[in-house]
Amino acid sequence: MNNDNSLGVAVLDTGIGFTVYDKKMEKDVPYGTFALTLINTDYEKIRNSIGDTLKLYFKKSFNPNDTEQFAITLYNKIHLHISYASKGYLRKEHAHIVTNLLVREILNSIETEHFAINGIDNCIPVIFSNYNIRSCAKDILQRYSDDLASIVRETGTYEINSQLLNMETPVYYLNSTAEYLMLDLKMYLERSDKTVKECERCGRLYLPKRKSDKYCRLPIRGERKTCNVIMHILPNDEFAKVRNTARDKQHKQIRYYRDTRNCDYTFLLNLYNDWSIDCQKKCIEFKSKMDIKGFNNWIEETKFTVETLTEEWEKHNKNKEICVPNIKSEN
Ligand SMILES: [Zn+2]
């Protein structure tokens, strides 16, 4: 690891958040919001954007004179995703800083290889190529875990270059976005009183306004309403009523089947539970489209009948028969 300041950014820890300095600006960023931005970023899309730009410029041999143009193209491609992912808790300027950090990190990795890249994956910042980092960070933000050691191990970030300003305020000099992530999560765990939640509709992470919040208030591409508004738009929840009635009926049906046929109840219950989970998902999906007819149709199509239950039970027994000889042959 370099011990210089290869991203050209200094992060000042003010005790309530970070002040990030680069050549042009200085802005305060609350703890945890850098990590939030990363996690809410569409990994697939950002990797494709980086890959496409690299392919464009490295089709033949890369001309170092094109570095500036390359950086601008890369910036514009990546920034779309970062800016969308950061809306709701980072200001525009912060999103620009995050994009800048990523572009500089990619440029650094290309320069280290003397402009001869071998494999696009080597140029993708580790925070977007390693899914373990993402899931660890997600758990930390939701306070399911405080396992920073995993992040250290996965990113290989064992120390961060720092010094004390005015004998008291630490300043960190960053060499990678992974270092920033580490720092951000550490301070979030130690000093932030906030707890991030996962939206039950869109799956993005957000900072709730109330403890009881289930849905985010983050903007959605192509829609005017947020998840929170969409999910609370119906005064008395018609969708939940339909779901509950359907669940009662389905449960009654498996009990009836148990009482009239020689069928294992655990098997029936598992069947019901799987269906019930799907039903909840469909309830959310159809509610977000305000499509009660579609939801009713789905319930009708997946309704348990004597025929469908018999079919499932026979399928289950057949699978069991197939498994038995295998176990025997091993012994
Ligand atoms: Zn949402």
Side-chain angles (χ1 to χ4, degrees):
M1 189 180 70
N2 303 329
N3 270 330
D4 55 8
N5 176 20
S6 64
L7 288 194
V9 168
V11 172
L12 189 81
D13 185 359
T14 60
I16 48 162
F18 294 120
T19 303
V20 180
Y21 293 91
D22 72 353
K23 281 176 208 144
K24 288 176 233 146
M25 47 187 126
E26 143 194 352
K27 295 287 170 198
D28 287 329
V29 189
Y31 298 129
T33 47
F34 176 69
L36 253 175
T37 302
L38 292 182
I39 285 169
N40 280 350
T41 301
D42 188 322
Y43 276 34
E44 208 54 44
K45 282 190 182 150
I46 206 155
R47 285 158 54 124
N48 288 342
S49 297
I50 297 170
D52 290 349
T53 316
L54 286 169
K55 274 184 216 153
L56 191 70
Y57 280 83
F58 285 80
K59 218 188 294 171
K60 292 173 193 151
S61 61
F62 185 78
N63 180 353
N65 292 335
D66 291 342
T67 308
E68 201 180 326
Q69 194 51 47
F70 167 77
I72 293 169
T73 312
L74 188 62
Y75 186 97
N76 291 334
K77 285 232 176 197
I78 297 180
H79 190 65
L80 285 176
H81 309 301
I82 297 296
S83 136
Y84 178 62
S86 69
K87 272 184 188 142
Y89 38 79
L90 283 190
R91 291 206 300 257
K92 271 185 189 166
E93 301 91 329
H94 297 150
H96 281 297
I97 291 175
V98 174
T99 309
N100 250 323
L101 291 176
L102 289 163
V103 169
R104 280 181 215 169
E105 182 168 347
I106 294 165
L107 276 177
N108 287 348
S109 71
I110 292 170
E111 275 166 11
T112 313
E113 298 296 324
H114 306 288
F115 300 99
I117 54 164
N118 48 36
I120 283 165
D121 285 347
N122 297 338
C123 301
I124 297 195
V126 66
I127 46 175
F128 290 130
S129 60
N130 183 323
Y131 280 78
N132 291 337
I133 298 175
R134 183 189 216 181
S135 62
C136 290
K138 215 171 158 177
D139 285 350
I140 291 175
L141 284 173
Q142 293 180 89
R143 300 199 189 272
Y144 297 151
S145 132
D146 56 4
D147 181 19
L148 273 176
S150 295
I151 306 264
V152 171
R153 207 172 40 243
E154 297 283 342
T155 57
T157 305
Y158 293 96
E159 54 172 335
I160 299 172
N161 199 12
S162 69
Q163 68 181 55
L164 282 178
L165 196 75
N166 305 330
M167 311 286 282
E168 50 181 309
T169 314
V171 188
Y172 300 90
Y173 301 101
L174 301 177
N175 285 302
S176 69
T177 44
E179 288 185 1
Y180 192 1
L181 179 69
M182 259 288 303
L183 201 60
D184 194 29
L185 290 174
K186 185 173 186 293
M187 293 309 162
Y188 172 80
L189 282 174
E190 287 175 10
R191 302 215 186 116
S192 173
D193 57 355
K194 302 206 157 50
T195 296
V196 165
K197 277 188 159 187
E198 187 169 13
C199 174
E200 289 185 19
R201 177 171 179 257
C202 71
R204 284 182 289 174
L205 295 188
Y206 67 101
L207 285 164
K209 272 196 175 170
R210 285 187 290 264
K211 255 190 172 169
S212 60
D213 279 355
K214 285 183 181 165
Y215 310 106
C216 74
R217 290 176 168 82
L218 304 173
I220 308 168
R221 242 183 219 139
E223 283 184 49
R224 283 171 175 226
K225 298 185 179 86
T226 65
C227 291
N228 185 60
V229 171
I230 291 168
M231 298 310 283
H232 290 106
I233 213 154
L234 283 178
N236 47 14
D237 194 340
E238 201 182 343
F239 287 84
K241 272 187 207 159
V242 170
R243 179 201 59 203
N244 294 347
T245 311
R247 278 180 173 164
D248 285 348
K249 279 190 184 164
Q250 292 283 75
H251 205 259
K252 225 180 233 168
Q253 188 67 0
I254 59 158
R255 288 198 314 265
Y256 170 76
Y257 198 80
R258 174 199 57 187
D259 297 341
T260 54
R261 312 277 161 130
N262 186 17
C263 179
D264 177 18
Y265 191 51
T266 315
F267 162 77
L268 289 171
L269 260 185
N270 284 339
L271 215 57
Y272 169 80
N273 287 336
D274 288 347
W275 174 87
S276 181
I277 291 167
D278 284 348
C279 183
Q280 174 58 12
K281 282 188 199 151
K282 291 287 166 187
C283 181
I284 291 170
E285 188 186 315
F286 283 110
K287 189 173 172 179
S288 68
K289 293 186 281 190
M290 304 295 277
D291 181 6
I292 194 76
K293 205 175 155 206
F295 188 36
N296 272 316
N297 285 345
W298 181 85
I299 286 168
E300 191 57 32
E301 281 161 22
T302 56
K303 194 168 77 177
F304 294 151
T305 62
V306 172
E307 287 78 24
T308 57
L309 288 176
T310 308
E311 206 179 292
E312 290 292 337
W313 177 234
E314 280 170 0
K315 224 194 290 172
H316 172 76
N317 285 328
K318 221 181 213 168
N319 288 342
K320 246 172 39 192
E321 277 164 30
I322 295 166
C323 292
V324 173
N326 284 340
I327 296 163
K328 275 184 184 164
S329 68
E330 277 171 21
N331 290 333

